[in-house]
Amino acid sequence: MTCCQGLGNDHDGIPFRWLTSLVEKVRAQVPDDEESSCMVHGAAGLTFSYEHTLSETEQLQATIAEMQRKEMLLRSLLPLEGGLGAEAADKLRGLLK
């Protein structure tokens, strides 16, 4: 028996809640004693994605990592002795913006 074919637009995806709703609809149509034989076909092509919102701790960690990266860049541009070349000065100005 085939039930509930087609989940909509494959290019934009569908909300996860639609998928859980679809599972409930299929469960309602499949007799309880046959549920163990119910199979999903084409699952190899499923892709799940979501947008992760950084927690305050993750935001702070990202900020610290960025500051450490900039510190390393600044240190690499500073001469050990003598003056600062025009190219290095421009790079420093860019990093400080």
Side-chain angles (χ1 to χ4, degrees):
M1 173 182 162
T2 302
C3 161
C4 306
Q5 287 183 320
L7 295 177
N9 186 340
D10 288 336
H11 302 289
D12 297 327
I14 60 167
F16 186 71
R17 291 177 192 253
W18 287 15
L19 187 57
T20 57
S21 174
L22 179 63
V23 169
E24 292 305 316
K25 287 178 185 177
V26 171
R27 275 192 166 157
Q29 293 181 17
V30 175
D32 290 343
D33 60 337
E34 296 177 8
E35 190 173 303
S36 64
S37 68
C38 187
M39 302 292 289
V40 175
H41 298 274
L46 291 178
T47 302
F48 293 86
S49 63
Y50 66 96
E51 293 181 23
H52 175 64
T53 303
L54 295 179
S55 68
E56 288 183 26
T57 301
E58 290 171 321
Q59 289 174 2
L60 182 58
Q61 289 171 335
T63 300
I64 290 170
E66 178 64 15
M67 291 173 71
Q68 288 172 335
R69 185 188 67 79
K70 284 186 178 184
E71 177 193 13
M72 287 176 57
L73 285 171
L74 289 169
R75 286 183 187 277
S76 72
L77 293 172
L78 292 173
L80 295 176
E81 293 181 10
L84 191 62
E87 184 179 339
D90 287 342
K91 287 182 180 179
L92 282 172
R93 283 187 199 93
L95 286 172
L96 294 172
K97 288 185 180 180

